[in-house]
Amino acid sequence: MMRLKTWGYIIIWSSVLDSYFLLRLVHILSAVIVTGTGAGIAFFMFMAHRSSNVQAIAVTTRHVVLADWIFTAPAVLVQFVTGVLLMNRLGYSFSSSWFIAVITLFVFIGACWIPVVLLQYKLRKLADASLEADVLPSDFNKLMNWWTALGIPAFIAILGIFILMVFKPLAVM
């Protein structure tokens, strides 16, 4: 009986290793990382800024910059690569209205994210420089407003991609 159970696990595992299922799994996990990291970064940045505690803000901005490079950047790259591989594997057309909508949102998110990362570096620098005085300069609030103004539409666009991926409301061929 134990051997049969073991063979069952091996058969299930071998089907998971099929390139389509593995690609799909990696694609979904990277989407979860991008979305989760984005939501987490936004929450902790917002809460630190709201606290007006310069030390908390300085630590948070350092961690936000680090999290974007450890989690977000690699996950975005994996998203793109696995997305293209899945398109090929499934025979979807790169000229389909569905793909055009997805890639447009993907590029839009990137166009928002790159300035956000640059703003995070500036926010980190301002917060670190403010530690001794324990007061943030007014530039910090202006940069946070830009950071938020770019982050909200980018996050909404991520949700739009999820809708396109799950429901496929547009033609894929």
Short mmCIF file of all heavy atoms in Angstrom, two decimals, residues 17-23 82-92 94:
data_model
loop_
_atom_site.label_atom_id
_atom_site.label_comp_id
_atom_site.label_asym_id
_atom_site.label_seq_id
_atom_site.Cartn_x
_atom_site.Cartn_y
_atom_site.Cartn_z
N LEU A 17 6.01 18.99 -12.98
CA LEU A 17 7.25 19.36 -13.64
C LEU A 17 7.06 19.58 -15.14
O LEU A 17 7.98 20.05 -15.80
CB LEU A 17 8.33 18.31 -13.39
CG LEU A 17 8.84 18.25 -11.96
CD1 LEU A 17 9.89 17.15 -11.83
CD2 LEU A 17 9.39 19.57 -11.49
N ASP A 18 5.89 19.24 -15.67
CA ASP A 18 5.62 19.55 -17.06
C ASP A 18 5.81 21.05 -17.24
O ASP A 18 5.39 21.85 -16.41
CB ASP A 18 4.17 19.16 -17.39
CG ASP A 18 3.80 19.56 -18.80
OD1 ASP A 18 4.02 18.77 -19.72
OD2 ASP A 18 3.30 20.69 -18.94
N SER A 19 6.44 21.45 -18.30
CA SER A 19 6.84 22.85 -18.45
C SER A 19 5.67 23.83 -18.38
O SER A 19 5.82 24.91 -17.81
CB SER A 19 7.61 23.04 -19.75
OG SER A 19 6.79 22.77 -20.86
N TYR A 20 4.51 23.46 -18.89
CA TYR A 20 3.38 24.37 -18.82
C TYR A 20 2.98 24.65 -17.38
O TYR A 20 2.82 25.80 -16.98
CB TYR A 20 2.18 23.84 -19.61
CG TYR A 20 0.93 24.63 -19.33
CD1 TYR A 20 0.79 25.92 -19.82
CD2 TYR A 20 -0.08 24.10 -18.53
CE1 TYR A 20 -0.34 26.68 -19.54
CE2 TYR A 20 -1.22 24.85 -18.26
CZ TYR A 20 -1.34 26.13 -18.76
OH TYR A 20 -2.46 26.86 -18.47
N PHE A 21 2.81 23.59 -16.60
CA PHE A 21 2.38 23.77 -15.21
C PHE A 21 3.45 24.49 -14.39
O PHE A 21 3.13 25.33 -13.55
CB PHE A 21 2.01 22.43 -14.57
CG PHE A 21 0.74 21.86 -15.12
CD1 PHE A 21 0.77 20.75 -15.95
CD2 PHE A 21 -0.49 22.46 -14.85
CE1 PHE A 21 -0.40 20.23 -16.47
CE2 PHE A 21 -1.65 21.96 -15.38
CZ PHE A 21 -1.62 20.84 -16.18
N LEU A 22 4.69 24.18 -14.64
CA LEU A 22 5.77 24.84 -13.92
C LEU A 22 5.83 26.33 -14.31
O LEU A 22 5.95 27.19 -13.44
CB LEU A 22 7.11 24.16 -14.22
CG LEU A 22 8.31 24.63 -13.41
CD1 LEU A 22 8.05 24.47 -11.93
CD2 LEU A 22 9.55 23.87 -13.82
N LEU A 23 5.73 26.62 -15.60
CA LEU A 23 5.70 28.01 -16.05
C LEU A 23 4.52 28.77 -15.43
O LEU A 23 4.68 29.89 -14.96
CB LEU A 23 5.58 28.08 -17.58
CG LEU A 23 6.84 27.96 -18.38
CD1 LEU A 23 6.51 27.89 -19.87
CD2 LEU A 23 7.78 29.11 -18.10
N THR A 82 8.23 34.54 -18.11
CA THR A 82 7.26 33.44 -18.07
C THR A 82 6.02 33.78 -18.87
O THR A 82 5.40 32.89 -19.47
CB THR A 82 6.88 33.06 -16.63
OG1 THR A 82 6.34 34.21 -15.95
CG2 THR A 82 8.07 32.50 -15.87
N GLY A 83 5.64 35.05 -18.91
CA GLY A 83 4.49 35.46 -19.72
C GLY A 83 4.72 35.19 -21.20
O GLY A 83 3.85 34.64 -21.88
N VAL A 84 5.90 35.56 -21.70
CA VAL A 84 6.23 35.31 -23.10
C VAL A 84 6.29 33.80 -23.38
O VAL A 84 5.75 33.32 -24.38
CB VAL A 84 7.56 36.00 -23.49
CG1 VAL A 84 8.06 35.53 -24.84
CG2 VAL A 84 7.39 37.52 -23.47
N LEU A 85 6.90 33.05 -22.48
CA LEU A 85 6.98 31.60 -22.66
C LEU A 85 5.59 30.96 -22.65
O LEU A 85 5.32 30.05 -23.44
CB LEU A 85 7.88 30.98 -21.58
CG LEU A 85 9.36 31.34 -21.67
CD1 LEU A 85 10.12 30.82 -20.45
CD2 LEU A 85 9.99 30.82 -22.95
N LEU A 86 4.72 31.42 -21.76
CA LEU A 86 3.35 30.89 -21.73
C LEU A 86 2.58 31.26 -22.99
O LEU A 86 1.81 30.44 -23.51
CB LEU A 86 2.61 31.39 -20.48
CG LEU A 86 2.99 30.70 -19.18
CD1 LEU A 86 2.47 31.48 -17.97
CD2 LEU A 86 2.47 29.27 -19.15
N MET A 87 2.77 32.48 -23.47
CA MET A 87 2.12 32.88 -24.73
C MET A 87 2.52 31.92 -25.84
O MET A 87 1.65 31.45 -26.61
CB MET A 87 2.53 34.30 -25.11
CG MET A 87 1.98 35.40 -24.24
SD MET A 87 0.29 35.83 -24.61
CE MET A 87 0.43 36.49 -26.26
N ASN A 88 3.80 31.64 -25.95
CA ASN A 88 4.28 30.71 -26.99
C ASN A 88 3.72 29.31 -26.77
O ASN A 88 3.27 28.66 -27.72
CB ASN A 88 5.81 30.66 -27.00
CG ASN A 88 6.41 31.87 -27.68
OD1 ASN A 88 5.84 32.42 -28.61
ND2 ASN A 88 7.55 32.31 -27.19
N ARG A 89 3.77 28.85 -25.53
CA ARG A 89 3.31 27.50 -25.21
C ARG A 89 1.83 27.31 -25.54
O ARG A 89 1.40 26.27 -26.04
CB ARG A 89 3.60 27.21 -23.75
CG ARG A 89 3.12 25.88 -23.24
CD ARG A 89 3.98 24.76 -23.81
NE ARG A 89 3.41 23.48 -23.52
CZ ARG A 89 3.90 22.61 -22.67
NH1 ARG A 89 5.00 22.89 -22.03
NH2 ARG A 89 3.31 21.47 -22.48
N LEU A 90 1.02 28.35 -25.25
CA LEU A 90 -0.42 28.27 -25.46
C LEU A 90 -0.85 28.66 -26.87
O LEU A 90 -2.01 28.51 -27.23
CB LEU A 90 -1.15 29.14 -24.43
CG LEU A 90 -1.02 28.68 -22.98
CD1 LEU A 90 -1.51 29.75 -22.02
CD2 LEU A 90 -1.76 27.37 -22.76
N GLY A 91 0.09 29.18 -27.65
CA GLY A 91 -0.22 29.57 -29.01
C GLY A 91 -1.02 30.86 -29.09
O GLY A 91 -1.70 31.10 -30.09
N TYR A 92 -0.95 31.69 -28.05
CA TYR A 92 -1.65 32.97 -28.08
C TYR A 92 -0.93 33.94 -29.01
O TYR A 92 0.30 33.90 -29.14
CB TYR A 92 -1.71 33.60 -26.68
CG TYR A 92 -2.61 32.90 -25.69
CD1 TYR A 92 -2.67 33.33 -24.38
CD2 TYR A 92 -3.43 31.83 -26.04
CE1 TYR A 92 -3.50 32.73 -23.45
CE2 TYR A 92 -4.25 31.22 -25.12
CZ TYR A 92 -4.28 31.68 -23.83
OH TYR A 92 -5.10 31.07 -22.91
N PHE A 94 0.62 37.41 -30.23
CA PHE A 94 1.21 38.62 -29.68
C PHE A 94 0.57 39.88 -30.29
O PHE A 94 0.85 40.98 -29.85
CB PHE A 94 2.73 38.65 -29.90
CG PHE A 94 3.45 37.68 -29.01
CD1 PHE A 94 3.78 36.41 -29.45
CD2 PHE A 94 3.80 38.04 -27.72
CE1 PHE A 94 4.44 35.51 -28.63
CE2 PHE A 94 4.45 37.15 -26.88
CZ PHE A 94 4.77 35.88 -27.33
#
